Amino acid sequence: MSSALPIGPGPIGVFDSGYGGLTILEGIRRRMPQYDYVYLGDNARAPYGPRSFDVVYEYTRQAVIRLFELGCHLVILGCNTASAKALRSIQQNDLPHIDPDRRVLGIIIPTAEVVGQLTRTRHVGILATDGTIRSQSYEIEIAKRYPDIQVTGMACPMWVPLVENNEVNTPGADYFVRKDIEKMMEKDRSIDTIILGCTHYPILLHMIEKHLKPGVRAVCQGDYVAESLFSYLQRHPEMEERCSKGSHMRYLTTESAEKFSERARLFLREHVCAEHVDLGG
């Protein structure tokens, strides 16, 4: 298949099941504004959190192939669920056949790598979708690097719908955020660092912080993923040369382009003009 893919320099691709990956994109663009980027949101089939491993893998694979077809040599899965359920299969099973010189990276490992520097008590909480929590990806990756850290996961099934439906400043959002945080802290009152393991959750940060006890902090992934990507490109100059630099941004969605453009402003606080794309399936 590699012979059919564009071979010249191309944009860095960022994929998410919906809007949440925009918080990852924002961090990356702030750190490396010189590159071209294309963002693809599979909004028509979101959310991915409750879906099976097989379905998430197939949907993510379709998106990665489309981004490769659009000229991307490097794709970031700006989605914790896709990183947990699909990344390894794509890296090991698909890339050798699609194009062994292209790369797909996730966002769980960059977050796991820094958590040891953030916690003092060595007790860490993970707030994420049901799919990410059930995968135990954070527990596995943190344990590889920091076996002394105790990790407690909590699924927050209502948080993504609240963000996607622009209900972040409502009493309902306040209720669910408070309830889930209290439930997590009841499991382990020594937690001092909470990873927001879903890219939608930074939109709720103001409300999350309101319900955290003193000395506990919530960690957003965007800046850490951006720093990890910056380091990756420095270590892999051959990939860095394949990333085009024109500070151009393109947005694609499998849902309504008009709807995406409107909602994306909530995440990026800037004008967005999206295009519709079909992935099949």
Side-chain angles (χ1 to χ4, degrees):
M1 181 175 179
S2 58
S3 61
L5 297 175
I7 59 174
I12 296 173
V14 179
F15 168 70
D16 184 44
S17 60
Y19 299 98
L22 293 169
T23 62
I24 299 297
L25 173 67
E26 183 180 35
I28 293 173
R29 286 177 65 198
R30 187 164 55 240
R31 183 67 176 88
M32 299 181 291
Q34 71 272 32
Y35 293 97
D36 296 326
Y37 298 94
V38 55
Y39 181 90
L40 172 54
D42 190 11
N43 304 79
R45 301 188 292 196
Y48 279 15
R51 297 188 182 275
S52 70
F53 273 73
D54 288 344
V55 169
V56 171
Y57 161 66
E58 182 55 33
Y59 287 0
T60 304
R61 180 180 176 277
Q62 291 172 2
V64 166
I65 290 174
R66 177 56 57 89
L67 287 168
F68 285 167
E69 291 171 347
L70 292 169
C72 300
H73 294 267
L74 175 63
V75 173
I76 310 302
L77 300 186
C79 172
N80 284 275
T81 303
S83 295
K85 293 184 174 183
L87 176 62
R88 183 164 296 181
S89 294
I90 290 173
Q91 288 175 332
Q92 295 180 350
N93 301 333
D94 295 303
L95 286 184
H97 304 290
I98 296 172
D99 186 339
D101 292 326
R102 296 184 193 246
R103 294 289 179 268
V104 180
L105 304 177
I107 59 176
I108 291 176
I109 289 177
T111 311
E113 287 174 340
V114 300
V115 72
Q117 306 162 30
L118 303 175
T119 174
R120 302 177 310 280
T121 64
R122 316 309 278 177
H123 290 254
V124 171
I126 310 291
L127 297 173
T129 65
D130 181 65
T132 297
I133 295 299
R134 282 192 288 110
S135 76
Q136 294 194 309
S137 295
Y138 275 100
E139 288 89 337
I140 293 168
E141 296 300 338
I142 291 173
K144 288 178 184 176
R145 295 158 177 84
Y146 309 103
D148 62 314
I149 292 181
Q150 183 171 324
V151 180
T152 301
M154 172 67 63
C156 308
M158 290 303 298
W159 290 23
V160 169
L162 288 167
V163 172
E164 295 264 332
N165 291 289
N166 198 17
E167 298 285 332
V168 296
N169 294 309
T170 63
D174 187 79
Y175 168 78
F176 284 111
V177 168
R178 176 179 55 79
K179 179 171 74 87
D180 290 337
I181 288 175
E182 287 178 353
K183 194 181 298 183
M184 165 173 279
M185 298 307 294
E186 285 172 7
K187 288 186 173 185
D188 183 356
R189 297 192 179 278
S190 296
I191 290 172
D192 72 342
T193 303
I194 296 177
I195 295 173
L196 303 185
C198 173
T199 53
H200 284 71
Y201 295 178
I203 302 300
L204 291 162
L205 183 62
H206 64 292
M207 196 166 285
I208 293 168
E209 291 179 334
K210 185 175 84 170
H211 294 296
L212 295 179
K213 67 180 183 181
V216 180
R217 67 167 158 179
V219 176
C220 301
Q221 295 174 284
D223 289 340
Y224 298 108
V225 171
E227 197 59 41
S228 178
L229 179 58
F230 177 81
S231 175
Y232 176 85
L233 291 174
Q234 284 191 314
R235 298 192 314 271
H236 297 86
E238 75 288 350
M239 177 57 71
E240 198 278 337
E241 291 174 1
R242 298 189 190 114
C243 299
S244 57
K245 303 168 187 69
S247 301
H248 182 261
M249 188 66 235
R250 186 180 181 190
Y251 299 94
L252 305 174
T253 176
T254 57
E255 233 260 13
S256 159
E258 182 179 357
K259 179 181 176 182
F260 181 93
S261 300
E262 179 183 338
R263 294 280 176 84
R265 295 189 190 105
L266 172 69
F267 291 81
L268 299 175
R269 297 174 295 281
E270 65 181 45
H271 177 74
V272 171
C273 184
E275 308 164 51
H276 174 80
V277 64
D278 287 314
L279 294 181

